[in-house]
């Protein structure tokens, strides 16, 4: 807790430098602007709002729950031409096709996930599972991810996520596929199933838990308040969850995200995403080495205005953190589970 050391991340087969003593240093770097608190509930100029007109001229329906539509500016398209053959091994290109969708969580722009009701969060989970099934029928990887807050590059405050399906396995997916496959081969148990059992017993990095799920600050966490959401049973894909597991997932997501917001009493920014076994042709293959999980990567370090930057040593050598995962977990664990905006109600 007081001296620098390195920790191994078996999921990525790399290391992180932990320098706990550095958290005491004074901060003279950049201060961020806190997120706006005056987001209008409905704005006809916001392209994600019900009834609003998007950039392509299409008008959104007056939706009352979740709303999924094709991304108007997709990074992947299903009919992209294949690149020319390479004339040298140092200049390789490969085909890349796919589909990009946007999913609005709720019709109100001022209602983030931690402020939504459990049935509303459950509706989001159901929509995620449906998209995984639909897109995963033909694409090997379906990436659900949410960028929350301008600090994480989100250009619209309306609560939403994106879903990108690709004809290839992205780098992180390929890496996790390799490390989990190797662990199962060597130890006879899925890596993250064994890891969840260990963390549930040790409890020092545990943030929240229920009968089906647990959230930990992983032993190898890179970001200050990074968390890992894990099921207790062996489950490969989001669409494999039972109804009761989806209910308990809604509950634990709400509890975690309330704690995040309560940490600095601000709408907490983060990037999150689900990782599970590949789909498409992989649906017919043995993917027992995979364990479903969600990553949360929040950038805030000391306050709502001081963030962690991944620069310098992190970019040129390896990841480094100032706060130990145990300290971060203890702080998150001790926070109330009533949202700070609702304490006076």
């Amino acid at each position: 807790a007081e001296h620098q050391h390195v920790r191994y991340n078996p999921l990525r087969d790399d290391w992180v430098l932990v320098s706990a003593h550095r958290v005491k240093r004074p901060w003279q770097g950049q201060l961020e602007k806190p997120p706006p608190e005056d987001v209008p509930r409905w704005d006809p100029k916001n392209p994600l709002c019900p009834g609003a007109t998007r950039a392509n001229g299409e008008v959104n329906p007056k939706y009352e729950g979740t709303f999924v539509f094709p991304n108007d500016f997709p990074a992947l398209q299903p009919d992209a031409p294949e690149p020319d053959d390479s004339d040298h091994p140092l200049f390789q290109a490969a085909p890349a096709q796919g589909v990009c969708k946007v999913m609005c969580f709720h019709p109100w722009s001022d209602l983030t996930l931690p402020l939504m009701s459990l049935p509303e969060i459950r509706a989001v989970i159901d929509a995620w599972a449906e998209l995984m099934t639909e897109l995963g029928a033909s694409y090997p990887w379906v990436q659900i991810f949410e960028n929350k807050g301008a600090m994480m590059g989100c250009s619209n405050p309306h609560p939403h996520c994106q879903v990108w399906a690709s004809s290839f396995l992205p780098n992180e997916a390929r890496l996790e596929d390799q490390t989990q496959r190797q662990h199962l081969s060597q130890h006879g148990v899925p890596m993250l199933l064994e890891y969840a059992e260990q963390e549930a017993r040790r409890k020092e990095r545990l943030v929240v838990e229920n009968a089906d799920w647990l959230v930990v600050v992983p032993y190898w966490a890179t970001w200050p308040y990074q968390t890992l959401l894990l099921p207790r049973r062996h489950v490969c894909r989001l669409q494999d969850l039972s109804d009761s597991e989806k209910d308990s997932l809604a509950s634990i997501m709400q509890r975690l995200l309330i704690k995040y917001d309560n940490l600095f009493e601000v709408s907490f920014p983060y990037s999150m995403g689900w990782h599970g076994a590949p789909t498409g042709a992989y649906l017919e293959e043995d993917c027992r080495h995979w364990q479903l999980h969600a990553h949360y990567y929040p950038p805030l370090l000391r306050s709502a205005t001081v963030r962690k930057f991944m620069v310098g040593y992190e970019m040129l050598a390896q990841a480094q953190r100032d706060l130990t995962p145990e300290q971060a977990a203890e702080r998150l664990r001790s926070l109330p589970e009533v949202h700070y905006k609702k304490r006076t109600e």
Side-chain angles (χ1 to χ4, degrees), residues 37 112 114-115 148 207-208 225 253-270 300 302-304 331-344:
E37 295 283 349
T112 56
L115 293 169
K148 183 188 175 198
V207 178
V208 286
Y225 292 97
M253 283 175 54
Q254 184 188 63
R255 293 169 63 196
L256 169 65
L257 298 179
I258 286 174
K259 284 180 178 289
Y260 269 161
D261 279 11
N262 284 345
L263 179 60
F264 299 128
E265 296 198 346
V266 69
S267 185
F268 206 72
Y270 58 75
L300 294 178
R302 300 185 183 201
S303 69
R331 187 165 183 189
L332 287 172
R333 188 168 55 243
S334 65
L335 291 167
E337 295 187 9
V338 176
H339 198 278
Y340 73 93
K341 288 186 176 181
K342 295 185 176 182
R343 288 178 197 160
T344 57

Side-chain angles (χ1 to χ4, degrees), residues 284-314:
E284 304 300 321
E285 297 187 8
D286 184 358
C287 290
R288 287 176 300 160
H289 54 291
W290 270 92
Q291 174 73 329
L292 176 69
H293 59 282
H295 297 281
Y296 284 84
Y297 299 128
L300 294 178
L301 174 59
R302 300 185 183 201
S303 69
T305 61
V306 177
R307 66 176 298 180
K308 164 72 176 176
F309 289 92
M310 289 292 180
V311 295
Y313 190 86
E314 290 88 351

